[in-house]
Amino acid sequence: MYYIGIDVGGMSIKGGLCTADGSIVNKAVVETHVYDADYSISQDIKTVIDNLIADSGVNMREIRGIGIGHPGSVDSKGGIIRYSNNIAMVNAPVVPELKKDYPNLPIAINNDANCAGLGEAKFGSGKGTNDVVFITLGTGVGSGIIIDGKLFEGRECAGAEAGHMVISMGGNMCNCGRRGCWETYASATGLIKQTKQSMSDNSGSLMHVIAAEEGKVSGKTAFLAAKRGDSAGQSVVDNYINYISEGLINIANVFRPELIIIGGGVSHEGEYLTDKLNCLMQELNYGSKYNPSIRVTTASLGNDAGIIGAACLVM
Amino acid sequence: MYYIGIDVGGMSIKGGLCTADGSIVNKAVVETHVYDADYSISQDIKTVIDNLIADSGVNMREIRGIGIGHPGSVDSKGGIIRYSNNIAMVNAPVVPELKKDYPNLPIAINNDANCAGLGEAKFGSGKGTNDVVFITLGTGVGSGIIIDGKLFEGRECAGAEAGHMVISMGGNMCNCGRRGCWETYASATGLIKQTKQSMSDNSGSLMHVIAAEEGKVSGKTAFLAAKRGDSAGQSVVDNYINYISEGLINIANVFRPELIIIGGGVSHEGEYLTDKLNCLMQELNYGSKYNPSIRVTTASLGNDAGIIGAACLVM
């Protein structure tokens, strides 16, 4: 039996045919378009599904369901994308539309970070745990919160926006309209800004050499410089890890998961990142002497987490 | 049928005989002592229960259960107070001890703010709602989070510490060991500090007159001054309401409850407080244009919330 997972991104819509053990046996992809009343995203998702089935040669009867991960505010109960800004959409009835094409299959949709969290919790770094928070540090900060093995979405699927906790009142302007949201500090976007600021303040820093080698300032620039002994780079990294920790410890104090899994490009820093985060977590979480401990680790499914997690929605 | 609710505080242990509609038909109280291996708090709780039953003349068979609200970290599954600092205690097995005296009754224990939240959600301002967060602004900031009608406690009952979300990195020192926790800004303790600071900066402020009239600086001083047109008092109040809003909106973005209920002495400011909080909430919660709205209101059960909520644990 197979489960189809669809991971919608700003550039492409990726699909995978998954088995019950979370393996992907076949993949398909199409480009993401601009959607409107005449051309809905459901049409592109249908193309991915149909290609996936045709390519793999499985029988439709072997498919047990279709799960979709999509950026933005998703009403998972109604199967509707309430609001998405990168792929501009308001109240798009994705599941009801797909139901017309696949009337006999369970079809589910959820936020993409929720899906990736579910994938990591069930089949990635969180395998075997029940209370997991997945945090993806990318353009923004996304979160997938799993309580007792189930996705926690907040009332009407409109919560779990951990990236939009303010950690610095009156701080950086966030595009959600508040100042000081965690994502403005802990996202890769935030790290790049912090790196650029430090480069402008430290003309002799190795970060200039590294950025020139790489052709741009990226989320890796400060980490590479720090590892080569550059003090300005080290200072960017130290501050950035502190920023991450503030949000992680807030999450710890509210949810106290067994495990917090960090995803996104920055997670490739591995233990260089998590060793310090674990120290801060252990030192500063509420009542750490008396309360159950919390471990911070990095994601293990990479880019497949979204597909596998979407498939988990219908497993 | 009756349900006993016990509300343990630093000064007294209050008990109430409650009916299934959340009314208290009789009350009893004893002083809180210092407890150790020879004199456990269970003995005082037993005295309250026995007095309550003797006074009200009800038959033991009419009692359906005993619920206890206690400050600090409570392991509600094991019935143990893990850690409490105001009433100094570590790993106190309150429920197992009481079980010896009342072997046939369900006995439950939980954190006091959780109980008050449950009481307000079931029988107070939250009556008829399913997703409610109760925030009590007192010495610290306590929270009781009700999701889908049930208390959310975090893994091993060690979460839901919303007062210990950092809203200002590197800010005020909190006695939990972090800097910038919400409770250092939004508690009554925080408000009094902010008031004193402003009084020291503004020697001509009406707050000096009001504090002299009241005999002390309290959580009311700045509010009273603001209402009489004092600009320094107004500024204290405006900042304080902003501090409260930062944590409330963080909670909104993570849980998106229908209702946030404010308890504690400050809640007596009523709409003077909630009108501005509702404006800020509506303006600044994540995706407010597209997501379900969240209302902020004040508690209605007053000091009885703890007793009624404790009784709710066994209803």
Side-chain angles (χ1 to χ4, degrees):
Chain A
M1 289 304 158
Y2 299 99
Y3 306 84
I4 291 176
I6 305 283
D7 183 18
V8 179
M11 303 299 285
S12 65
I13 300 174
K14 292 176 286 183
L17 196 66
C18 302
T19 55
D21 65 354
S23 307
I24 301 178
V25 294
N26 198 19
K27 284 185 185 179
V29 65
V30 301
E31 206 180 305
T32 309
H33 291 90
V34 175
Y35 303 105
D36 55 28
D38 294 325
Y39 186 6
S40 85
I41 194 166
S42 316
Q43 292 168 259
D44 278 347
I45 293 175
K46 184 175 185 305
T47 305
V48 174
I49 295 170
D50 292 346
N51 290 350
L52 208 50
I53 292 169
D55 278 7
S56 55
V58 301
N59 191 301
M60 203 60 196
R61 263 167 275 163
E62 294 175 89
I63 309 292
R64 278 297 167 95
I66 301 164
I68 302 153
H70 197 287
S73 257
V74 177
D75 167 8
S76 63
K77 284 199 186 104
I80 288 162
I81 296 161
R82 259 193 209 122
Y83 167 66
S84 152
N85 56 347
N86 289 330
I87 311 167
M89 233 175 276
V90 171
N91 291 325
V94 176
V95 172
E97 283 178 6
L98 285 168
K99 267 283 180 196
K100 291 176 200 158
D101 296 307
Y102 312 99
N104 301 318
L105 281 182
I107 307 177
I109 190 165
N110 215 302
N111 170 272
D112 55 350
N114 281 353
C115 288
L118 208 51
E120 285 289 343
K122 300 273 182 195
F123 297 111
S125 298
K127 202 172 171 176
T129 57
N130 255 337
D131 295 280
V132 180
V133 175
F134 172 74
I135 296 295
T136 173
L137 309 175
T139 312
V141 170
S143 57
I145 298 168
I146 287 97
I147 300 176
D148 211 10
K150 275 171 257 151
L151 210 44
F152 172 76
E153 302 175 75
R155 181 172 61 104
E156 296 191 30
C157 328
E161 289 290 352
H164 296 282
M165 287 185 297
V166 160
I167 60 161
S168 183
M169 295 189 288
N172 295 342
M173 194 68 212
C174 180
N175 55 22
C176 81
R178 290 178 88 190
R179 281 193 173 273
C181 284
W182 185 33
E183 85 164 30
T184 68
Y185 296 89
S187 60
T189 316
L191 171 58
I192 291 167
K193 268 190 198 159
Q194 293 148 31
T195 304
K196 285 181 176 166
Q197 181 60 51
S198 172
M199 287 169 68
S200 127
D201 296 343
N202 298 281
S203 56
S205 162
L206 206 56
M207 291 187 283
H208 291 280
V209 180
I210 291 166
E213 281 168 12
E214 288 185 307
K216 64 175 179 183
V217 178
S218 78
K220 290 183 201 161
T221 313
F223 278 97
L224 287 169
K227 287 173 191 166
R228 289 206 229 158
D230 182 64
S231 65
Q234 188 66 56
S235 166
V236 170
V237 166
D238 289 345
N239 284 329
Y240 178 65
I241 292 178
N242 275 327
Y243 295 150
I244 299 175
S245 79
E246 293 290 4
L248 294 191
I249 300 170
N250 282 359
I251 287 168
N253 291 350
V254 172
F255 290 100
R256 194 155 291 276
E258 284 167 84
L259 193 65
I260 298 180
I261 304 173
I262 311 276
V266 177
S267 68
H268 296 128
E269 300 297 335
E271 287 174 1
Y272 189 83
L273 184 74
T274 54
D275 281 355
K276 189 157 179 214
L277 287 172
N278 273 305
C279 283
L280 289 164
M281 176 61 72
Q282 200 165 350
E283 186 191 339
L284 294 170
N285 82 71
Y286 182 74
S288 59
K289 255 170 86 178
Y290 305 98
N291 281 325
S293 65
I294 295 155
R295 194 161 53 87
V296 182
T297 191
T298 50
S300 63
L301 299 178
N303 291 332
D304 289 341
I307 291 176
I308 296 169
C312 285
L313 294 175
V314 289
M315 279 188 188
Chain B
M1 288 305 156
Y2 300 99
Y3 307 84
I4 291 177
I6 305 285
D7 183 17
V8 180
M11 304 298 285
S12 65
I13 300 174
K14 293 177 284 183
L17 195 67
C18 302
T19 56
D21 65 354
S23 308
I24 301 178
V25 293
N26 197 21
K27 284 185 184 179
V29 65
V30 301
E31 206 181 302
T32 309
H33 290 92
V34 175
Y35 303 104
D36 55 27
D38 294 325
Y39 185 7
S40 86
I41 195 167
S42 315
Q43 291 167 258
D44 279 347
I45 293 175
K46 185 176 183 307
T47 305
V48 174
I49 295 169
D50 293 345
N51 290 350
L52 208 50
I53 291 169
D55 278 7
S56 54
V58 302
N59 192 299
M60 203 61 198
R61 261 167 275 163
E62 293 175 89
I63 309 293
R64 278 298 166 94
I66 301 163
I68 303 153
H70 197 287
S73 255
V74 177
D75 167 8
S76 63
K77 283 201 186 102
I80 289 162
I81 297 161
R82 258 192 210 125
Y83 168 65
S84 152
N85 56 348
N86 289 329
I87 311 168
M89 232 176 276
V90 171
N91 290 325
V94 176
V95 172
E97 282 177 7
L98 285 168
K99 267 285 181 192
K100 291 177 198 156
D101 296 307
Y102 312 99
N104 301 318
L105 282 182
I107 308 178
I109 190 165
N110 216 301
N111 171 272
D112 56 350
N114 282 354
C115 288
L118 207 52
E120 284 290 343
K122 299 273 182 195
F123 296 111
S125 299
K127 204 172 169 174
T129 57
N130 255 338
D131 296 280
V132 180
V133 175
F134 171 75
I135 296 294
T136 174
L137 308 174
T139 311
V141 170
S143 57
I145 299 168
I146 286 98
I147 300 176
D148 211 10
K150 274 171 260 152
L151 209 43
F152 172 75
E153 303 175 75
R155 180 173 63 104
E156 298 192 27
C157 328
E161 289 291 351
H164 296 280
M165 286 185 300
V166 160
I167 60 162
S168 182
M169 294 189 289
N172 296 341
M173 194 69 214
C174 181
N175 55 21
C176 80
R178 290 179 86 188
R179 280 191 173 277
C181 284
W182 186 33
E183 84 164 30
T184 68
Y185 296 90
S187 61
T189 316
L191 171 58
I192 292 168
K193 269 190 197 156
Q194 293 148 31
T195 304
K196 286 180 175 168
Q197 182 60 52
S198 172
M199 286 169 70
S200 126
D201 296 343
N202 299 280
S203 56
S205 161
L206 206 56
M207 291 188 282
H208 291 280
V209 179
I210 291 167
E213 280 168 13
E214 289 185 307
K216 64 175 180 183
V217 178
S218 77
K220 290 181 199 162
T221 312
F223 279 97
L224 287 168
K227 286 170 190 168
R228 291 207 227 156
D230 182 64
S231 65
Q234 188 66 58
S235 165
V236 170
V237 166
D238 289 346
N239 285 330
Y240 178 64
I241 291 177
N242 275 329
Y243 295 150
I244 299 175
S245 79
E246 292 290 5
L248 294 191
I249 300 168
N250 283 359
I251 288 168
N253 291 350
V254 172
F255 291 99
R256 194 154 291 273
E258 283 167 89
L259 192 66
I260 298 181
I261 304 173
I262 311 278
V266 177
S267 68
H268 296 126
E269 300 297 335
E271 287 175 1
Y272 188 83
L273 185 74
T274 54
D275 281 354
K276 190 157 177 211
L277 286 173
N278 274 304
C279 283
L280 289 164
M281 176 60 74
Q282 202 166 348
E283 186 191 340
L284 294 171
N285 83 71
Y286 182 74
S288 59
K289 255 171 85 180
Y290 306 98
N291 281 324
S293 65
I294 294 154
R295 194 161 54 87
V296 182
T297 190
T298 50
S300 63
L301 298 179
N303 291 332
D304 289 340
I307 291 176
I308 297 170
C312 286
L313 294 175
V314 289
M315 278 184 188

